[in-house]
Amino acid sequence: MCMVIFAPLFAIFAFATCGGYSGGLRLSVDCVNKTESNLSIDIAFAYPFRLHQVTFEAPTCEGKGRQKLALTGDSSSSAEFFVTVAVFAFLYSLAATVVYIFFQNKYRENNRGPLIDFIVTVVFSFLWLVGSSAWAKGLSDVKVATDPQEVLLLMSACKQPPNKCAAVHSPVMSSLNTSVVFGFLNFILWAGNIWFVFKETGWHSSGQRYLSDPMEKHASSYSQGGYTQDSYGSGSGYSQQASVGPSSEEFGQQSSGHTSFTNQI
């Protein structure tokens, strides 16, 4: 039930916080000649974070010339893979929810449905782990590439001591950090659901039968051995009780012997 409720929500949060991101930073270059300065250099970037394609212009502080620069790095592969896994996980979890609620009898008719569900759950658990780890590394590269201090080092004007370069504001990465958190939460959710899906398959029931058969045989043999010992014990006790005194025939023989001795006298 937790899987049905939380899997679609966690998947939505994962791909929405990553795929819907757009941010930027603002820099300022104050040249010695104030007419050449630019105090508002805006650099915008967004998903899928092909930062090497993000270009901007900065003053050179050497006349009216402008320097065209670009950010460094490309994290599009990890970001797109992460979002793709999240979208497909969302679609599958919705389909599984419909099956669990409206087609429960069809789902349990044979072992095919639970077996497919088990395999898909294992695959998505692995994909969430790989995708979240890759995107965490990609996000770290994005943070480095969009760090204002790193971007200022790309400008030739900022390498000249008389000029003053500063960061007006830095990009906000809170939503991207949230996407990584939800990525690993999705991995924990899907990996934790493997056991519950496995219990629905025929592999789990056949394993239980395999374990229960030797136990039943052992219990039956033990009960048979206990019955034999009890029977043996009761029989031996009866024999001991029967042999305490003389039997009726022996007693009769002793009496007849005594009578014949009296007659002889």
Side-chain angles (χ1 to χ4, degrees):
M1 185 60 67
C2 292
M3 176 69 180
V4 172
I5 297 174
F6 293 110
L9 294 177
F10 282 13
I12 289 174
F13 288 136
F15 71 73
T17 52
C18 179
Y21 178 83
S22 62
L25 64 155
R26 179 175 294 177
L27 307 174
S28 66
V29 178
D30 189 8
C31 302
V32 176
N33 185 358
K34 301 300 182 181
T35 59
E36 300 174 356
S37 301
N38 188 349
L39 303 181
S40 180
I41 303 174
D42 293 320
I43 305 173
F45 60 94
Y47 173 85
F49 307 104
R50 294 186 177 94
L51 301 180
H52 64 285
Q53 297 179 358
V54 177
T55 60
F56 60 97
E57 291 185 352
T60 60
C61 294
E62 296 176 354
K64 297 294 183 179
R66 296 285 176 176
Q67 183 183 18
K68 189 173 183 179
L69 300 171
L71 298 178
T72 59
D74 183 7
S75 300
S76 60
S77 58
S78 59
E80 289 176 342
F81 179 75
F82 178 80
V83 172
T84 301
V85 172
V87 170
F88 279 101
F90 170 73
L91 295 176
Y92 178 78
S93 59
L94 281 184
T97 302
V98 173
V99 172
Y100 291 157
I101 295 176
F102 299 103
F103 301 99
Q104 186 66 237
N105 295 331
K106 291 285 186 181
Y107 177 79
R108 297 180 180 274
E109 274 185 1
N110 50 43
N111 193 39
R112 182 178 300 177
L115 186 59
I116 294 175
D117 194 13
F118 172 73
I119 294 174
V120 173
T121 302
V122 172
V123 171
F124 269 113
S125 299
F126 176 74
L127 292 178
W128 273 118
L129 177 61
V130 174
S132 300
S133 301
W135 171 229
K137 176 60 171 63
L139 177 57
S140 177
D141 296 339
V142 170
K143 289 180 178 180
V144 172
T146 57
D147 184 6
Q149 300 303 322
E150 294 291 331
V151 178
L152 290 175
L153 295 177
L154 300 176
M155 303 178 185
S156 59
C158 298
K159 298 176 182 178
Q160 302 173 11
N163 303 320
K164 297 179 181 179
C165 301
V168 178
H169 70 76
S170 302
V172 179
M173 299 286 187
S174 57
S175 62
L176 296 181
N177 294 331
T178 304
S179 68
V180 174
V181 172
F182 274 105
F184 284 106
L185 285 177
N186 275 285
F187 163 69
I188 295 173
L189 180 64
W190 285 80
N193 193 52
I194 291 177
W195 167 248
F196 298 101
V197 178
F198 176 73
K199 289 171 64 177
E200 300 292 334
T201 62
W203 295 341
H204 179 262
S205 57
S206 61
Q208 282 187 332
R209 288 196 298 268
Y210 177 78
L211 292 175
S212 62
D213 289 343
M215 294 179 64
E216 291 177 356
K217 291 180 180 179
H218 180 71
S220 61
S221 61
Y222 178 78
S223 61
Q224 289 176 1
Y227 176 78
T228 305
Q229 291 177 358
D230 292 341
S231 302
Y232 177 78
S234 60
S236 60
Y238 177 79
S239 300
Q240 290 176 359
Q241 289 178 1
S243 61
V244 171
S247 62
S248 59
E249 295 178 356
E250 293 176 352
F251 182 80
Q253 291 177 359
Q254 291 176 359
S255 301
S256 60
H258 180 71
T259 305
S260 57
F261 179 76
T262 305
N263 294 332
Q264 289 179 2
I265 294 175

